[in-house]
Amino acid sequence: MRHEIARRSGVGFELREGQTLTVYDPRGEQVADLLAYNRADIREVISSGRTLDYASKLFIGVGDPLYSNRSNVMLDIVSDSVGRHDFLLTPCSKDTFRIIYGDDAPHHGCFGNLERALAPWGVEPDMIPTAFNCFMNVSVDFETGALSVDPPRSKAGDHIAFVARMDLIIGLTACSALQSNNGSFKPIEYEISG
Amino acid sequence: MRHEIARRSGVGFELREGQTLTVYDPRGEQVADLLAYNRADIREVISSGRTLDYASKLFIGVGDPLYSNRSNVMLDIVSDSVGRHDFLLTPCSKDTFRIIYGDDAPHHGCFGNLERALAPWGVEPDMIPTAFNCFMNVSVDFETGALSVDPPRSKAGDHIAFVARMDLIIGLTACSALQSNNGSFKPIEYEISG
């Protein structure tokens, strides 16, 4: 059964060890920020730095484990119809919109949505790290290191699927930043199986 | 007055708002992992994801602010004789040496050194994020995203200097990973002024 995450919103849910989480982009060119916490101890959380270090690459895909800050495998990517996701940039937030977009009355962003969605499990804002950004398309200039946030490569119906390697609390959003999703806000869908 | 950080070790100290921290590579091709916490509330910590996002580039240098997880500026880079540092990879640790190097009896690494150095201020291991890795030379393949850890570009006597924008607790190491420093462990030096 597929669930919808409405535009510019987010959800929190539990995922048991062995279960599969599939994230769908129902309309194409949308981004979903994904966070994972150890259900038994929320101080253990998904880690971009450890994952990129152990994979020795920036673009994470099928076969790559997503590690925690304690170097345990939290999730494995088992299926992916897109092939480009981001694990560099933090969830968009009031500060993102203020600093990058210059907004006077900024939206609370994925950060605010994750904060609200994860509060029932005791996750505090300071415990929200860099998320795994499904479908987000960030390129790097080899010489200068300049980052460009390009339109996602995902087309309507594309997906990425993860298997949980421990009991997890998941935070998942339909991204709120215009730059990430080529200028329009769209929903995200997800399914839990197993 | 310059202080030495012995090979494969680390230190913790306080840096007041407005003070300058200069990190020297006295022998060349050595790496120093730098962490910063808000002295008034250690839950506020240096953030790779926010810094790279707001700078829109991977290679951070003179003029770039180092942001916290609360999007406040913690440090500004004011001087740099090298021009290439890393803000992607986590401090080397027992797990790094086990997973990447295949060591049976792994060294505790920069992570262990930072853990010990920062414990007096109440910093717990789970609160250690991706560090700003002074002089670390990580390249990215534009197409594949492959990361390569190359010898630092720093020569004997090179430095990078930071000005504190709030009262901080600093963790700083002389790196323990062979790959980062071209195969030999060397000391790091630092100086506080202002």
Side-chain angles (χ1 to χ4, degrees):
Chain A
M1 186 192 136
R2 287 207 202 178
H3 308 272
E4 184 183 272
I5 306 175
R7 61 200 288 280
R8 293 194 124 182
S9 76
V11 295
F13 53 86
E14 297 189 14
L15 190 69
R16 287 196 311 278
E17 185 180 347
Q19 283 187 316
T20 299
L21 167 66
T22 307
V23 180
Y24 296 92
D25 182 355
R27 301 195 194 165
E29 296 191 336
Q30 172 59 313
V31 164
D33 289 13
L34 182 145
L35 288 178
Y37 297 80
N38 179 347
R39 178 71 187 85
D41 183 350
I42 58 171
R43 293 173 304 176
E44 182 167 13
V45 60
I46 195 167
S47 168
S48 165
R50 295 219 173 265
T51 300
L52 300 180
D53 200 359
Y54 301 153
S56 286
K57 60 183 176 185
L58 217 52
F59 305 132
I60 302 297
V62 170
D64 292 322
L66 301 184
Y67 284 92
S68 75
N69 56 340
R70 296 182 189 168
S71 297
N72 296 313
V73 177
M74 300 192 108
L75 295 153
D76 278 310
I77 300 176
V78 292
S79 171
D80 175 13
S81 65
V82 179
R84 178 59 73 90
H85 314 277
D86 172 69
F87 208 178
L88 275 180
L89 304 181
T90 39
C92 63
S93 67
K94 270 189 183 173
D95 298 303
T96 312
F97 296 127
R98 177 176 56 81
I99 295 172
I100 298 183
Y101 294 77
D103 289 358
D104 287 333
H107 189 266
H108 59 255
C110 284
F111 191 90
N113 286 325
L114 289 164
E115 184 184 335
R116 293 162 197 205
L118 294 166
W121 287 274
V123 174
E124 294 176 10
D126 286 329
M127 299 164 65
I128 295 179
T130 298
F132 183 80
N133 303 308
C134 306
F135 316 127
M136 191 175 185
N137 184 10
V138 177
S139 294
V140 185
D141 183 287
F142 176 80
E143 289 299 329
T144 65
L147 300 174
S148 63
V149 180
D150 301 322
R153 296 182 182 176
S154 49
K155 302 196 183 338
D158 270 332
H159 76 278
I160 180 171
F162 310 84
V163 171
R165 296 306 179 198
M166 59 173 77
D167 290 347
L168 296 170
I169 299 154
I170 298 289
L172 192 65
T173 70
C175 182
S176 305
L178 284 171
Q179 205 181 29
S180 301
N181 46 33
N182 204 15
S184 74
F185 307 123
K186 285 160 283 192
I188 282 288
E189 292 177 0
Y190 70 97
E191 190 167 51
I192 297 171
S193 57
Chain B
M1 187 191 135
R2 285 208 204 178
H3 307 272
E4 184 183 271
I5 306 174
R7 58 200 289 281
R8 293 194 124 183
S9 75
V11 296
F13 53 87
E14 297 188 14
L15 190 69
R16 287 196 311 278
E17 185 179 347
Q19 283 188 315
T20 299
L21 167 67
T22 307
V23 180
Y24 296 93
D25 181 355
R27 301 194 194 166
E29 296 191 336
Q30 173 58 311
V31 164
D33 289 13
L34 182 146
L35 287 179
Y37 297 79
N38 179 348
R39 179 70 188 86
D41 183 349
I42 57 171
R43 293 172 304 175
E44 182 166 14
V45 61
I46 194 168
S47 168
S48 165
R50 295 220 173 265
T51 300
L52 301 181
D53 200 359
Y54 301 153
S56 287
K57 60 184 175 183
L58 218 52
F59 306 133
I60 302 297
V62 170
D64 291 322
L66 301 183
Y67 284 92
S68 75
N69 57 340
R70 295 182 190 168
S71 296
N72 296 314
V73 177
M74 301 191 107
L75 295 154
D76 277 311
I77 301 176
V78 293
S79 170
D80 174 14
S81 65
V82 178
R84 177 60 72 92
H85 313 278
D86 173 69
F87 208 179
L88 275 181
L89 304 181
T90 39
C92 62
S93 65
K94 271 190 183 174
D95 298 302
T96 312
F97 297 127
R98 175 176 58 80
I99 294 172
I100 298 185
Y101 293 78
D103 289 358
D104 287 333
H107 188 268
H108 59 254
C110 285
F111 191 90
N113 286 325
L114 289 164
E115 183 184 336
R116 292 162 198 206
L118 294 167
W121 287 275
V123 174
E124 294 176 9
D126 287 329
M127 297 163 66
I128 295 178
T130 298
F132 183 80
N133 303 307
C134 306
F135 315 127
M136 189 173 186
N137 185 10
V138 176
S139 293
V140 185
D141 182 289
F142 176 80
E143 289 297 330
T144 66
L147 300 173
S148 64
V149 180
D150 300 323
R153 295 182 181 176
S154 49
K155 302 199 183 334
D158 271 331
H159 76 279
I160 179 171
F162 310 83
V163 171
R165 297 305 179 198
M166 60 173 77
D167 290 347
L168 296 171
I169 299 154
I170 299 288
L172 191 65
T173 70
C175 183
S176 304
L178 285 171
Q179 205 181 28
S180 301
N181 46 34
N182 204 16
S184 74
F185 307 122
K186 284 160 285 192
I188 282 288
E189 292 177 359
Y190 70 97
E191 191 167 49
I192 297 171
S193 58

